[in-house]
Amino acid sequence: MEWSSEKNKDKIPYTTNESGDYDDRSDRTKEWSLDDGLNWWTNGFWGGIMWLLYQDTKDGRYAEIARISEYRLEKCFDDFYGLHHDVGFMFQLSAAADYRLTGNQRSRKTGMHAANLLAGRFNPAGNFIRAWNDIPGDDTKGWAIIDCMMNISQLYWASEETGDPRFRHIAVAHADTAMKNFVRPDGSVNHIVEFDPETGEMVRSLGGQGYGEGSSWTRGQGWAVYGFMISYLHTGKQEYLDTAKKVAHYCMANLPEDGIIPVDFRQPEEPAYEDSCGACVIACGLLEIAKHVPEQEKTMYVKAAVKILKAIDEKRADWSEKCDAIVQNCTGAYHSPEHHFTMNYADYFFIEAIYKLKGTGIFLW
Ligand code: GLY
C-alpha cells in the first residue's frame, strides 16, 4: 500500500477509508454547504491531537505537524462567509492550544480573531449564539445548538487572556440560555432550539442530528455534559456543575450493558446505529466531572467512563496499521445516509479521555 502520509500530505484528516484515502471534504462545493471545504468544522481536531501528544512528549515534530493545519486554517478568515459557530472547535484546539503550549504570538492573534467572530454571532434578543449560516430552504437566523457549549470555551479563553470580560459575558449568557431551553427535566437535551431572532422567544425544538424531535442525540448529550463542565471550570458557577451532573446521570442511566453507545438514546432498536464518537465525548465529560466532585461521588463517574472507553478499546478500536484512525463506528447524524465510519474528533476525544484517566493531560478547553 502506498504510504498514506505521502498521498494525504496536503489534507487535514477528517475520515479515512479502507484504502487509506483521507476525505477532508475539501472537494465539496459551496453549493452543497457553506460550511464545507477548509471551513469544515472538524479541521482543528488533527492539530488538537498533535498538541495533546506534544504536551506529553515535548517532541517538536508534533508541533511542526500541528502548525501545518493551524496556519492553513488562517485562510478561512479571508473567505469569512463560510465560517460559523464552530470557530471554537476549529481554533481552540489548533491556535489557542499552540499559544498555550508555546507562547506563539501568531497563534494568539488567530485565537483572538476567532473569539471576536464567535462573539459577533451573539443575538442579545434571546441571549444565544447563532448556529450555522443560511441553509437553503431553512431560515436559521434563530437557531442555536447544544454543540455550541463547547465552542464558547474560545470566549472564556479570550477573556482570561485579555482581561476583557465581554467575551465571558457572552459565553455565560449563552450557557444560561442553554441551561433553560435545551436541558429537559429528565437530563436529556434538545439538539437544536429555534428562537425568534427579533424577540428572543423560544419557537420550537428540532431533532437535528438525532432520531427526531424530543429524542436524545447521544453526541449532543456529550456536548452538554462536557460543555457545562467547561462553563463551570471557567466561572465557578454551581448551576453549571449541577447541570453537567444532571445530564451525566441521564447518560449513565441509559448506558447500554455492553457500553456501546447508540446514535440516539431514544432510537428504535433496529437499525442499531452506533456513535463511538459521542461515546468518547460523554466519557471525557464524565471524567471531568469526577475531578470536581467530592471523593465519595467520583467513583461512579469514573466507572461509567471506563466502561465506555473499554468498550471502544476492546470492540470498536482498530489498533492495526491498516487503518490510520483508531476509533471505529462513528456516525455524523442518525438520518444521514452513511453510518459507522471513522472521524478525527472521535480519535481526539478518545485520546483526551485516556490522558484524563492517566492524569497527564492538558486542558485545552
Ligand atoms: N458539532 C457537530 C457534530 O457534533 O456533529
Side-chain angles (χ1 to χ4, degrees):
M1 187 169 92
E2 197 186 338
W3 280 105
S4 63
S5 56
E6 196 42 45
K7 64 180 168 179
N8 294 312
K9 70 180 184 323
D10 293 326
K11 295 190 174 179
I12 302 174
Y14 163 54
T15 183
T16 181
N17 61 22
E18 277 162 12
S19 49
D21 293 318
Y22 290 177
D23 176 4
D24 66 355
R25 301 180 78 105
S26 56
D27 58 343
R28 307 286 166 118
T29 62
K30 296 217 169 197
E31 277 162 45
W32 188 79
S33 162
L34 284 171
D35 297 347
D36 267 338
L38 194 56
N39 301 308
W40 179 235
W41 74 278
T42 69
N43 277 345
F45 286 103
W46 172 244
I49 293 174
M50 293 298 112
W51 289 119
L52 286 178
L53 299 176
Y54 173 79
Q55 65 84 30
D56 183 17
T57 62
K58 298 294 170 295
D59 184 334
R61 279 176 306 174
Y62 293 123
E64 274 171 38
I65 295 168
R67 284 193 182 130
I68 296 171
S69 53
E70 178 192 332
Y71 292 163
R72 273 190 70 197
L73 290 183
E74 290 170 0
K75 165 100 178 38
C76 297
F77 296 135
D78 296 340
D79 295 345
F80 177 69
Y81 284 123
L83 278 176
H84 36 65
H85 63 281
D86 280 324
V87 288
F89 280 119
M90 290 169 71
F91 295 101
Q92 186 72 341
L93 299 177
S94 56
D98 186 349
Y99 173 68
R100 255 184 231 275
L101 284 159
T102 73
N104 185 349
Q105 289 300 318
R106 176 170 170 178
S107 308
R108 184 184 188 279
K109 188 170 74 171
T110 302
M112 284 301 154
H113 198 155
N116 276 278
L117 290 176
L118 187 57
R121 302 184 68 90
F122 182 69
N123 186 336
N127 285 327
F128 65 91
I129 291 172
R130 182 192 170 173
W132 297 304
N133 297 315
D134 292 329
I135 300 173
D138 268 317
D139 181 355
T140 60
K141 290 181 186 60
W143 285 20
I145 57 175
I146 194 64
D147 325 27
C148 216
M149 287 303 297
M150 302 295 289
N151 285 298
I152 58 176
S153 72
Q154 190 83 34
L155 301 175
Y156 290 124
W157 170 80
S159 271
E160 286 154 18
E161 190 51 37
T162 58
D164 182 339
R166 286 176 301 140
F167 304 99
R168 188 185 68 247
H169 290 320
I170 290 175
V172 165
H174 178 86
D176 288 350
T177 299
M179 209 159 49
K180 183 166 157 235
N181 297 93
F182 283 75
V183 182
R184 306 183 189 120
D186 66 355
S188 64
V189 298
N190 292 314
H191 179 202
I192 303 174
V193 171
E194 181 176 351
F195 299 91
D196 180 322
E198 293 291 351
T199 66
E201 290 300 307
M202 179 175 160
V203 177
R204 60 175 176 153
S205 64
L206 293 91
Q209 285 162 252
Y211 179 64
E213 202 202 325
S215 75
S216 167
W217 177 46
T218 51
R219 196 157 67 248
Q221 296 289 146
W223 295 143
V225 178
Y226 202 2
F228 281 107
M229 272 316 286
I230 290 169
S231 278
Y232 172 66
L233 293 169
H234 288 284
T235 64
K237 209 168 147 174
Q238 181 66 32
E239 286 164 284
Y240 295 151
L241 175 60
D242 295 342
T243 305
K245 284 165 71 171
K246 178 173 167 173
V247 182
H249 283 259
Y250 168 87
C251 293
M252 292 190 292
N254 284 281
L255 197 61
E257 206 36 59
D258 60 3
I260 302 291
I261 301 288
V263 178
D264 194 306
F265 281 128
R266 293 181 182 158
Q267 72 189 35
E269 266 179 43
E270 294 294 336
Y273 292 143
E274 303 171 12
D275 183 23
S276 306
C277 180
C280 296
V281 177
I282 293 172
C284 275
L286 295 174
L287 291 172
E288 203 55 45
I289 294 177
K291 285 200 248 159
H292 301 278
V293 293
E295 207 51 47
Q296 65 273 21
E297 282 183 43
K298 274 186 202 309
T299 319
M300 82 177 135
Y301 297 109
V302 174
K303 254 176 97 173
V306 168
K307 180 171 175 163
I308 294 170
L309 295 169
K310 268 199 154 162
I312 300 279
D313 173 29
E314 290 166 6
K315 299 175 216 159
R316 295 293 182 264
D318 185 336
W319 295 107
S320 75
E321 287 188 3
K322 278 193 258 146
C323 178
D324 283 354
I326 301 171
V327 178
Q328 309 291 310
N329 285 21
C330 306
T331 296
Y334 183 89
H335 293 288
S336 65
E338 294 157 4
H339 299 86
H340 300 180
F341 51 95
T342 65
M343 291 169 164
N344 64 356
Y345 58 113
D347 280 12
Y348 172 86
F349 284 105
F350 185 62
I351 293 168
E352 189 186 309
I354 300 303
Y355 277 124
K356 281 190 201 300
L357 271 180
K358 287 173 58 169
T360 55
I362 179 178
F363 189 68
L364 294 177
W365 301 97

